[in-house]
Amino acid sequence: MIGGLLALIIGRVAYLIVGTGNYTLAFFVGALLSALQLGSLYALIALGYTMVYGIIRLINFAHGEVFMVGAFTSFFLFANTPYSLPWALFAAALAAAGLMYAVNLWRGKLQDPVVLGAGALGFVGFTLALSAASLNWIAAMLLAMLITGVVGITLDRVAYRPLRGAPRISLLITAIAMSFFLQNFGLLAFTRNQTPYRPATSWTQFLQFPLAGNTVFTSRMVILIPLVTLVLVVALTLFVNRTRLGKAMRASAQDPEVAQMMGINVNRVIATTFFLGSTLAAAAGVLWGLNFGSLNQPAIFGLLPGLKAFAAAVIGGIGSLPGAVIGGLLLGFLENFVPAMFAGTTEFKDTFAFFLLIVILLIRPSGIIGEDLSEKV
């Protein structure tokens, strides 16, 4: 079925280029770059869904709102600096907490002098940076990733950890409740209106180059977004495969009870999973704002991208890191190429993800490269 769908799309591309002459190669190269760009964003968000599901079998419906928190946090960090000292201290404390947790993943002990030193230096440095000068988007993205990582850990500690032994439906209902809570928190903390997102950077400028007698029109974001996504995915893969905590994550994903009997602190592993997933969602939020130039109101900003990313995770095989990336890229490809090849389908492009999700669930419920699970979820 999937092979037939791809064959149909590729055949249609060949026909439009060679048969009709109405479309140029430059047009399709531009669409391919846009597909890679959008698919990379979906992949970053989908990784958070798939990591949490892989460890505790929870579909975290609040993950789209975590993506929203990351995007709006970065906006307020770079748009409103320099801050007054109280606000700088508050934001620096959150970012330093995230930095301490990240260093603690490597050192393994919160009371370690290196962890405490990183927290102290981070707190002083972030306070000076926020109160003394304007931030560029890179510094804002790193700070937003750390702050959003703290939000992710807090979400697990407050909402999900008390329900570890409860029926799974309780966790699902709690996840939906946290989604609504974060939406309303965003309305109170950020804004109700659409917000321009235009930091001072040359990455948002247009890019054009000649190809086969025509010109490809795009922006420099087609380079930045896949590049950042590649770096983060490689870093995550190395962390999961090469570090002790990554091995603990894989062991907990296989069987959390046995992992706990072997001395693995499963709660710490789960908190780490939420931290990493939230930092990736925050990075996606920053790149999303840079790419589209504005942020919609918080109540709806994370809803549709979150649902599409969840669909991408299921399509690729939820619980699988490569599956999340493949699913995200596949959705980006569909959303850019199908409207370009089939007239009159542009207004339905948001439905492609869910149509493909239904098709995948019908023919391969475990996803493209996911494992076949006999357990009901």
Side-chain angles (χ1 to χ4, degrees):
M1 185 65 137
I2 298 174
L5 182 62
L6 290 176
L8 176 64
I9 293 175
I10 293 172
R12 180 72 175 171
V13 170
Y15 170 75
L16 291 174
I17 293 177
V18 179
T20 67
N22 294 329
Y23 294 82
T24 63
L25 182 61
F27 175 83
F28 283 100
V29 169
L32 181 63
L33 293 175
S34 297
L36 186 61
Q37 189 176 347
L38 185 60
S40 299
L41 292 173
Y42 289 147
L44 277 180
I45 308 172
L47 284 169
Y49 280 106
T50 208
M51 289 172 66
V52 170
Y53 182 84
I55 300 293
I56 58 174
R57 299 292 187 265
L58 166 68
I59 299 171
N60 182 18
F61 285 111
H63 192 61
E65 280 62 46
V66 172
F67 159 75
M68 174 273 293
V69 169
F72 277 92
T73 299
S74 70
F75 169 76
F76 276 85
L77 284 173
F78 73 69
N80 295 315
T81 50
Y83 281 78
S84 61
L85 187 58
W87 278 109
L89 290 171
F90 178 71
L94 287 176
L99 180 61
M100 287 181 67
Y101 191 84
V103 177
N104 184 42
L105 298 179
W106 163 50
R107 299 294 292 184
K109 189 177 180 182
L110 191 61
Q111 293 81 10
D112 188 285
V114 176
V115 178
L116 296 176
L121 288 175
F123 179 72
V124 174
F126 294 145
T127 303
L128 292 175
L130 290 169
S131 60
S134 296
L135 292 178
N136 61 29
W137 71 271
I138 298 176
M141 182 174 76
L142 295 175
L143 280 170
M145 290 172 70
L146 291 173
I147 292 174
T148 311
V150 174
V151 172
I153 295 172
T154 306
L155 188 66
D156 169 59
R157 185 67 183 84
V158 172
Y160 302 140
R161 186 169 171 180
L163 298 174
R164 286 280 195 267
R168 200 162 296 164
I169 189 68
S170 302
L171 280 170
L172 283 175
I173 294 172
T174 304
I176 294 171
M178 291 310 299
S179 171
F180 286 117
F181 171 79
L182 288 176
Q183 287 177 15
N184 286 279
F185 170 78
L187 285 174
L188 290 172
F190 301 126
T191 177
R192 293 176 179 270
N193 302 316
Q194 190 167 10
T195 305
Y197 195 98
R198 299 188 183 92
T201 173
S202 61
W203 284 104
T204 56
Q205 293 179 1
F206 288 106
L207 177 69
Q208 62 183 50
F209 55 90
L211 181 66
N214 293 285
T215 304
V216 178
F217 294 95
T218 181
S219 76
R220 297 182 181 181
M221 295 301 293
V222 298
I223 302 172
L224 178 67
I225 291 177
L227 182 63
V228 172
T229 301
L230 178 64
V231 170
L232 292 177
V233 169
V234 170
L236 178 65
T237 304
L238 290 175
F239 177 83
V240 171
N241 292 325
R242 300 291 179 84
T243 66
R244 292 184 62 186
L245 193 54
K247 293 176 182 175
M249 290 173 68
R250 286 186 286 149
S252 300
Q254 290 287 327
D255 194 323
E257 293 182 357
V258 174
Q260 187 128 17
M261 291 171 61
M262 298 298 292
I264 294 174
N265 187 337
V266 176
N267 285 328
R268 182 165 172 258
V269 169
I270 295 172
T272 302
T273 303
F274 274 90
F275 177 80
L276 294 175
S278 301
T279 57
L280 294 176
V286 175
L287 296 174
W288 191 284
L290 286 171
N291 187 48
F292 295 104
S294 67
L295 306 178
N296 291 329
Q297 56 173 304
I300 60 173
F301 180 74
L303 183 62
L304 192 56
L307 287 175
K308 288 183 180 178
F310 168 65
V314 176
I315 290 168
I318 194 162
S320 164
L321 298 183
V325 176
I326 290 173
L329 293 176
L330 190 57
L331 286 194
F333 181 84
L334 279 181
E335 286 196 12
N336 280 275
F337 273 86
V338 174
M341 290 181 294
F342 301 96
T345 58
T346 302
E347 58 189 18
F348 303 108
K349 69 175 185 177
D350 288 335
T351 64
F352 298 157
F354 308 109
F355 173 75
L356 183 61
L357 175 63
I358 293 170
V359 172
I360 291 292
L361 289 177
L362 286 174
I363 61 175
R364 188 173 169 79
S366 59
I368 295 174
I369 61 171
E371 296 180 1
D372 188 15
L373 299 176
S374 57
E375 183 183 10
K376 290 184 179 179
V377 296

